[in-house]
Amino acid sequence: MSDSANPGADGASADAGDDAESDGGGPAQVSSPDYHSENHTAAQTCGWTANAMRGEGKCYKNIFYGIESHRCIQMTPVVRCNERCVFCWRDHQGHSYEMDDVQWDDPEAVVDASIKLQKKLLSGFGGNEEVPREVFEQAMEPRHVAISLDGEPTLYPYLPELIEAFHDRDITTFLVSNGTRPEMLRDCDPTQLYVSVDAPERHTFDQVVGAMEDDAWEKLLETMDVLAEKDETRTVLRTTLVKGENMRNPDWYAGFYQQADPDYIELKAYMHVGHSQGRLDRSAMPDHEEVVEFAEDVGEYMPGFDEVMGVPASRVALLSKTKDTWVPKLQKGSEFWERDPVTGD
């Protein structure tokens, strides 16, 4: 699950949990005043999207990769998850992942629902005096989607087709996965693919991740091989750092990371919010300086990853081989922006 669904970090509610009816009248998989859903598609306004609309800063993904925060949909095609991470803000008891009762929409319907929900979520900003009209009009034409709101997206059986459907609408895709479905990820080619690596070895993995499937560790290892085979897709390994749980042995992390031959490595602080407060003490949340120091320690064992960037507001550090980490097509003046329905020629 993405940190962007973290209450207190990027704006989500900590109250999600029990089933309820969705806005669309169908069976819902989550109950939260901040989630809007249509069948199994859920979307939510990221806190950084709201900030960007008001000119109050952008997400670290803008700093690292060039994503325009006010034009990014935060969604998921399935809110259910097959892991019970100790640092997750979700209520594990209300987060079942059995899929037998789900009636799956086709990818085009999910894209339509995502755009519709995004426009509904942001419609109120149209009358906000703090939001310039040009910014609001841009937000009504999203150009990015973060498939990372909640749950495990690879449980959606048509995920590769969904990514292509977004690309057909000229919307870039940023997919976050826990790596338990390597066979699905092998067929997925998003603009950027993130895989969570929250432990460098099996013992810590079992303690921190709490996978619901016995072969989850083996599947994650297989996913590292899948990532190493990706030539066109940008790949990112991301680790949520929890003091006293998994914030040790940087050399082991480096060895694990290298199996995937990633383009980038993100290390981000656990945030003491939501239901995680019942599992962890506040002292488990590292500050930004500790995150950067751990990233530098990891980098010592990874030749070539000489660049360390940090965003204090998000307590996140990035390890990179190059200073320029933006997605090439998101560079200003690119053909991607020339085709923009609002700002393009």
Side-chain angles (χ1 to χ4, degrees):
M1 182 181 66
S2 168
D3 65 280
S4 58
N6 232 334
D10 295 315
S13 169
D15 300 326
D18 297 332
D19 288 346
E21 289 190 356
S22 70
D23 293 348
Q29 301 169 46
V30 67
S31 174
S32 168
D34 294 319
Y35 273 34
H36 285 237
S37 59
E38 191 166 301
N39 196 13
H40 58 82
T41 300
Q44 175 203 27
T45 303
C46 172
W48 287 110
T49 297
N51 287 349
M53 297 277 283
R54 296 187 293 261
E56 298 174 355
K58 297 181 179 180
C59 173
Y60 73 87
K61 299 180 184 69
N62 171 261
I63 298 170
F64 288 166
Y65 310 122
I67 298 173
E68 290 292 342
S69 302
H70 67 299
R71 308 191 70 176
C72 182
I73 304 171
Q74 182 183 222
M75 60 77 64
T76 182
V78 54
V79 299
R80 302 185 183 187
C81 191
N82 55 351
E83 292 185 342
R84 301 291 181 265
C85 297
V86 67
F87 54 80
C88 181
W89 66 272
R90 285 280 280 146
D91 176 8
H92 290 165
Q93 293 183 350
H95 210 188
S96 65
Y97 79 100
E98 291 75 14
M99 316 303 287
D100 293 342
D101 61 336
V102 180
Q103 296 182 352
W104 298 112
D105 288 336
D106 65 58
E108 290 293 341
V110 174
V111 173
D112 288 340
S114 300
I115 296 172
K116 173 184 174 183
L117 292 169
Q118 179 79 344
K119 290 184 176 181
K120 179 179 180 180
L121 285 162
L122 299 182
S123 60
F125 285 97
N128 190 326
E129 295 181 355
E130 299 179 8
V131 178
R133 189 66 192 178
E134 179 184 6
V135 172
F136 175 73
E137 290 175 354
Q138 291 174 7
M140 289 294 100
E141 295 289 343
R143 300 304 307 276
H144 321 291
V145 59
I147 308 175
S148 64
L149 171 64
D150 197 353
E152 173 47 41
T154 58
L155 298 177
Y156 175 58
Y158 310 116
L159 186 58
E161 294 84 357
L162 175 62
I163 290 168
E164 288 305 313
F166 274 118
H167 290 175
D168 288 344
R169 310 282 185 101
D170 223 2
I171 296 174
T172 60
T173 55
F174 298 81
L175 172 65
V176 180
S177 171
N178 61 23
T180 56
R181 295 291 186 273
E183 66 281 0
M184 178 66 77
L185 292 177
R186 183 173 284 109
D187 294 332
C188 290
D189 289 306
T191 306
Q192 189 155 292
L193 172 58
Y194 303 76
V195 172
S196 297
V197 176
D198 297 310
E201 35 72 31
R202 179 64 182 265
H203 177 70
T204 302
F205 180 84
D206 289 342
Q207 288 186 318
V208 172
V209 173
M212 303 299 291
E213 298 161 334
D214 293 338
D215 62 349
W217 174 252
E218 288 74 21
K219 291 295 185 181
L220 181 60
L221 290 173
E222 186 178 340
T223 292
M224 296 301 101
D225 293 334
V226 170
L227 295 185
E229 296 170 358
K230 296 282 186 184
D231 293 325
E232 302 298 327
T233 301
R234 289 163 53 105
T235 58
V236 184
L237 299 182
R238 62 186 321 278
T239 299
T240 299
L241 295 174
V242 187
K243 290 174 67 175
E245 298 288 338
N246 67 350
M247 201 169 175
R248 55 181 178 268
N249 299 327
D251 53 335
W252 291 16
Y253 274 105
F256 194 99
Y257 293 153
Q258 287 170 333
Q259 297 178 62
D261 189 24
D263 294 303
Y264 308 102
I265 298 165
E266 281 185 17
L267 298 105
K268 193 174 188 307
Y270 152 69
M271 302 304 292
H272 191 61
V273 293
H275 289 275
S276 75
Q277 296 174 90
R279 309 180 203 112
L280 295 167
D281 188 79
R282 187 174 181 82
S283 62
M285 183 172 60
D287 59 32
H288 179 66
E289 290 73 20
E290 291 172 313
V291 171
V292 172
E293 182 180 358
F294 192 82
E296 291 173 341
D297 289 344
V298 171
E300 290 292 327
Y301 300 96
M302 299 196 68
F305 283 83
D306 300 323
E307 300 296 329
V308 181
M309 308 175 195
V311 180
S314 297
R315 303 193 188 196
V316 62
L318 182 73
L319 285 173
S320 172
K321 297 177 181 178
T322 61
K323 291 184 178 180
D324 185 2
T325 57
W326 273 31
V327 176
K329 72 188 305 179
L330 298 185
Q331 299 284 351
K332 300 304 180 184
S334 68
E335 291 184 8
F336 177 80
W337 292 116
E338 288 178 358
R339 297 193 301 270
D340 189 79
V342 179
T343 63
D345 295 329

